[in-house]
Amino acid sequence: MEEKIEVKKGLTGFQIKIIAMILMVFDHIHAYLNYSKNVPIQFRWVGRIVAPLFIFMTVEGYYYTRNKKKYMIRLYIAQLIMSIGNDLLDKFFPRPDSIIIMSSMFKTLFLIVIYLSIVDFLRGAFKDKNISKVLLGIGFLAIPILLSSVIMISISNLPFSFIRIFMLLIPMPLFTEGGIVFIAIGIVLYLFRDNKTKQVISYIIMCIVIMLLSGDFSIQSLLYTNFQWMMIFAAPLMYLYNGEKGRGMKYLFYIFYPAHIYLFHMISYYMLTR
């Protein structure tokens, strides 16, 4: 008798990543190909849920990976390669409207993984009631933000080449996509990952806070200017995650993410300069 394979209800990690990549294409069509102002704003709306979904899956990847150090190194190399690629594209394919490639999600995901490792360090320190390690862990949490602040304050007094190389080699919270907000989302999702309901509710609360901080609650603002709150719609997909990895295509996102951005950038370059 053949053994039946039980299929869990919900979405696998692979399916969530595919959904995020499809929506990411819509978002970047608006970001890079809207020079004629004819791409619907709705393309940006659906794009708001992309980063939270990749943060969510990065948290899952960090939790399940057997080699966390290797996982960090892979993300670091990805952000380094993409940063160099961004600079090269901006140099050899400069858009007349001065729009440059600012995408750096790999930097954000790398920093999130770094912070998750610090969270694990602090958990161990609290469990062992080791005050010196607790203080050390708090210091680790603060150092990247303090370093970012120092660079931001001193940026006008430092050589441009030094700033470029420093920011290329050392990702910092205040100079990455989503900044501290995205990093905080990653930490919260990790802290509550053992309870799906609490995890999703905590995420929804963060989205509401982001909306409230915008200060302008007019329909015009919420739909056309301050629409980052729309990342709240990633919550249902997070809740539907069934804990299964799904198809194993580890490097698909690593390749697709920069490749489609560079394609859109070059298309826009030739369309604007022809």
Side-chain angles (χ1 to χ4, degrees):
M1 183 181 292
E2 293 185 4
E3 183 179 351
K4 291 184 179 180
I5 300 175
E6 183 180 353
V7 179
K8 288 186 178 181
K9 294 181 179 180
L11 299 171
T12 66
F14 177 76
Q15 289 170 332
I16 288 177
K17 288 179 181 178
I18 292 298
I19 292 171
M21 285 193 291
I22 292 171
L23 297 180
M24 179 170 60
V25 170
F26 282 97
D27 187 33
H28 289 150
I29 286 174
H30 191 285
Y32 290 93
L33 303 179
N34 194 34
Y35 37 80
S36 299
K37 306 299 180 183
N38 57 357
V39 180
I41 190 64
Q42 287 79 8
F43 280 37
R44 294 291 281 171
W45 293 353
V46 298
R48 296 314 90 208
I49 77 172
V50 174
L53 289 180
F54 279 118
I55 291 171
F56 177 76
M57 293 314 306
T58 297
V59 169
E60 289 297 301
Y62 172 82
Y63 179 81
Y64 283 112
T65 186
R66 287 174 290 183
N67 191 328
K68 290 179 171 47
K69 182 179 179 181
K70 187 176 180 180
Y71 191 48
M72 293 178 193
I73 292 173
R74 185 162 68 242
L75 282 170
Y76 179 80
I77 292 174
Q79 70 83 23
L80 185 63
I81 292 174
M82 188 165 183
S83 294
I84 294 172
N86 290 354
D87 286 347
L88 291 176
L89 262 290
D90 287 330
K91 179 179 180 180
F92 293 106
F93 299 92
R95 285 179 47 148
D97 54 7
S98 300
I99 291 179
I100 62 174
I101 302 177
M102 296 295 291
S103 299
S104 57
M105 199 59 198
F106 283 136
K107 290 180 182 288
T108 307
L109 299 181
F110 168 73
L111 283 172
I112 287 172
V113 169
I114 292 295
Y115 271 95
L116 297 188
S117 68
I118 297 173
V119 168
D120 283 341
F121 179 85
L122 278 169
R123 278 176 168 173
F126 279 114
K127 184 178 180 180
D128 297 337
K129 298 180 180 179
N130 190 319
I131 301 301
S132 60
K133 283 190 175 181
V134 169
L135 294 175
L136 183 61
I138 294 173
F140 286 150
L141 288 174
I143 286 173
I145 297 174
L146 292 174
L147 186 59
S148 297
S149 301
V150 170
I151 292 295
M152 183 174 289
I153 293 171
S154 309
I155 198 165
S156 60
N157 299 319
L158 294 172
F160 179 75
S161 57
F162 170 81
I163 294 294
R164 292 296 300 160
I165 294 173
F166 189 85
M167 292 177 64
L168 179 70
L169 298 176
I170 305 177
M172 293 174 288
L174 299 183
F175 297 97
T176 56
E177 190 169 341
I180 296 174
V181 172
F182 280 3
I183 293 171
I185 288 173
I187 293 173
V188 168
L189 291 176
Y190 185 61
L191 290 175
F192 292 103
R193 74 164 306 280
D194 291 333
N195 188 311
K196 179 66 69 67
T197 300
K198 289 182 179 179
Q199 184 188 47
V200 173
I201 290 175
S202 299
Y203 172 73
I204 290 172
I205 290 172
M206 293 187 74
C207 295
I208 293 172
V209 170
I210 289 172
M211 181 181 69
L212 294 176
L213 290 176
S214 70
D216 187 349
F217 309 124
S218 66
I219 296 299
Q220 181 70 22
S221 175
L222 293 177
L223 294 183
Y224 297 99
T225 307
N226 299 312
F227 48 77
Q228 189 61 38
W229 65 271
M230 291 185 184
M231 63 184 189
I232 196 172
F233 295 111
L237 294 173
M238 293 179 184
Y239 194 79
L240 288 172
Y241 175 58
N242 61 14
E244 295 290 322
K245 180 180 179 181
R247 294 183 61 181
M249 298 182 69
K250 182 190 300 184
Y251 295 103
L252 177 61
F253 172 62
Y254 290 91
I255 295 171
F256 182 81
Y257 176 49
H260 86 284
I261 286 178
Y262 295 164
L263 176 62
F264 287 162
H265 182 84
M266 286 189 285
I267 289 173
S268 66
Y269 168 79
Y270 285 113
M271 291 296 290
L272 290 167
T273 57
R274 64 179 181 177

